[in-house]
Amino acid sequence: MAKIIDFKCTYDNSVGISKEVTQKTDLKFPEAYTKFDSMAILSRELKKEDNANFCQLPFCHTVEGEALGGIVNLGDENIGPRAKDYICTSSQEILNLPEIDFSKGRISEVLKACKSLREEGENVVLYISGPFTIMNVLIDPRHIFKTFRKDPEMMQRIFDKFQNEILRFVLEAKKVGVNMISYGDSSGGLNILGPKFSEQVVEMFTYPLLKEIEEIIDDETIVLLCPKTSLALLGTEKAKWEDIDLKEVIKYPDACVKVIGRAKFAGQMCIKNKEFELKNGIIKTIKLF
């Protein structure tokens, strides 16, 4: 019987943007985090700073929560957007939140920035968060963990709501040409939920979500899973590693671009680890059962 093992994250789930990057622009903050053209400028500067092969958006994990009504501190040139005040005090209030309107607000600007960068020929990584990370913007996690323990049916309804929102986000990303989607939910990792609840999350949410995403994306898109998610899928026997030999020493982000069209999911390493090298030339992709 397999079991879930944890991935020791060294990036603290931070997308972020450094002061070194913001100082190279003439942009005003926090306004720059709210408009697509300034987002695109920041993303290109971050790519240069990191010597990366892709642009990344957004610069935080609060976009979905804000689009659901959450209150966000937009930050400044030193620190990006972050959660401010909770708007929900119960699980039912989470269910009562309206659907995301992708035509307005910061989430709309993120998609426009993705479209602009893709039209310029850039590879674009769009960071999409899982349910626990999104809920961190909306509600004190203690309420959700209590619901998970005492009312599994209510928890399933919450998961269904977030699955719907994430799938709609993926569809919007597809419309604007995003070719790399990063999915993770470190706020719902093994180190926080424990083995029992982590297994239930895979069964109730993660695996069904990714099976749906597998049907949505085409051969021009790859989903980059957080290694915590990859190991949860492997540990519950919902997926297996599938090796692709690229026959060259290659950095992990470059390998992810090369296997677009040959695999739907990668996830052996965090995409933020831009210097991680595949010395044997083999990238481990994820094959869902």
Side-chain angles (χ1 to χ4, degrees), residues 49-247:
E49 179 76 13
D50 290 344
N51 193 28
N53 69 334
F54 59 81
C55 292
Q56 55 186 307
L57 284 160
F59 311 113
C60 65
H61 290 284
T62 63
V63 168
E64 298 99 325
E66 182 186 53
L68 285 161
I71 301 170
V72 170
N73 181 334
L74 288 173
D76 53 31
E77 69 274 12
N78 300 313
I79 186 168
R82 59 200 184 278
K84 187 176 181 182
D85 298 313
Y86 297 132
I87 62 167
C88 297
T89 58
S90 70
S91 297
Q92 185 58 53
E93 288 181 6
I94 291 286
L95 291 178
N96 292 343
L97 293 173
E99 283 192 333
I100 292 174
D101 183 346
F102 292 98
S103 69
K104 67 179 186 181
R106 194 157 55 99
I107 201 164
S108 172
E109 298 297 311
V110 167
L111 290 165
K112 289 177 188 174
C114 289
K115 185 173 188 289
S116 173
L117 290 166
R118 284 295 289 150
E119 287 174 347
E120 293 172 11
E122 299 282 4
N123 294 311
V124 174
V125 173
L126 175 65
Y127 291 95
I128 292 182
S129 299
F132 290 97
T133 301
I134 297 172
M135 283 188 282
N136 265 353
V137 179
L138 303 169
I139 189 169
D140 188 320
R142 289 177 296 178
H143 295 300
I144 296 302
F145 296 146
K146 182 178 178 181
T147 298
F148 209 168
R149 288 195 305 272
K150 295 190 173 183
D151 194 347
E153 289 185 7
M154 171 66 84
M155 197 68 212
Q156 185 63 69
R157 290 170 63 199
I158 291 171
F159 280 148
D160 290 346
K161 177 181 180 66
F162 284 104
Q163 177 173 314
N164 179 62
E165 297 297 344
I166 292 169
L167 290 174
R168 292 176 63 234
F169 199 6
V170 171
L171 284 167
E172 294 297 323
K174 183 180 177 182
K175 288 179 189 176
V176 297
V178 168
N179 63 333
M180 303 171 81
I181 293 171
S182 175
Y183 174 80
D185 196 16
S186 68
S187 296
L190 177 67
N191 58 318
I192 296 172
L193 296 180
K196 178 185 174 183
F197 287 140
S198 292
E199 185 173 336
Q200 286 180 276
V201 170
V202 174
E203 296 280 351
M204 298 167 69
F205 182 82
T206 312
Y207 180 71
L209 171 75
L210 295 179
K211 288 297 284 185
E212 291 284 345
I213 290 176
E214 189 174 36
E215 294 299 315
I216 291 173
I217 62 174
D218 52 31
D219 288 340
E220 296 177 1
T221 309
I222 191 167
V223 177
L224 311 170
L225 299 177
C226 167
K228 287 177 178 283
T229 302
S230 299
L231 293 173
L233 291 164
L234 295 165
T236 51
E237 301 180 323
K238 296 293 186 185
K240 66 176 182 178
W241 292 121
E242 198 164 80
D243 292 352
I244 296 179
D245 190 351
L246 298 174
K247 303 187 184 305

Side-chain angles (χ1 to χ4, degrees), residues 243-260:
D243 292 352
I244 296 179
D245 190 351
L246 298 174
K247 303 187 184 305
E248 61 177 316
V249 177
I250 188 170
K251 290 181 179 178
Y252 182 67
D254 295 321
C256 289
V257 173
K258 282 209 166 194
V259 296
I260 293 175

